[in-house]
Amino acid sequence: MRKSLIKKHEDTDPMSVVSNLFDVAMVFAVALMVALVGRYNMSELLTQEDFTMVKNPGKDNMEIITKEGEQVHRYVPSESQQAGKKGKRVGIAYQLENGEIIYVPE
């Protein structure tokens, strides 16, 4: 009688360990995503604002990433565009004190 009071009858479900591991994996995945967004300063992707970002400007592996609403576009120059073709000046851009940019064609 005394042993039955001390020893509790527990329901041992072998699948409960698997569900706990799944919960831990989900928490780890979310923490990893938050850390990567913070590390690469990509928090703009999570907001509703439109933006344009240039990765590696002026180098061979340059990329232009734009976000318009829910659409994210990635532009990578092709080999023919990088093979020594030069552009020409087509205008001047001025940035005002309030951050607005004005383009004046030549």
Side-chain angles (χ1 to χ4, degrees):
M1 175 90 173
R2 228 169 190 206
K3 283 187 176 183
S4 66
L5 291 176
I6 296 172
K7 186 176 180 182
K8 295 180 182 177
H9 294 285
E10 295 180 12
D11 250 352
T12 55
D13 183 16
M15 293 302 289
S16 66
V17 174
V18 174
S19 66
N20 288 339
L21 287 176
F22 179 77
D23 293 342
V24 169
M26 292 303 294
V27 169
F28 178 75
V30 170
L32 184 63
M33 286 187 343
V34 168
L36 288 174
V37 166
R39 169 67 174 95
Y40 292 111
N41 298 324
M42 298 288 289
S43 58
E44 292 88 7
L45 289 174
L46 302 176
T47 64
Q48 294 298 322
E49 298 177 13
D50 295 345
F51 75 94
T52 301
M53 180 174 73
V54 179
K55 287 175 60 177
N56 305 321
K59 297 183 180 173
D60 291 338
N61 60 349
M62 181 177 79
E63 296 179 25
I64 301 171
I65 300 171
T66 59
K67 179 181 178 237
E68 299 169 353
E70 295 293 320
Q71 298 279 340
V72 177
H73 303 284
R74 184 173 150 228
Y75 173 74
V76 179
S78 65
E79 291 297 324
S80 64
Q81 292 171 331
Q82 295 177 358
K85 292 189 177 183
K86 300 289 182 183
K88 66 177 184 174
R89 184 174 171 168
V90 293
I92 302 171
Y94 296 98
Q95 184 173 13
L96 302 178
E97 291 177 352
N98 64 359
E100 185 179 0
I101 296 178
I102 298 175
Y103 169 71
V104 180
E106 290 181 341

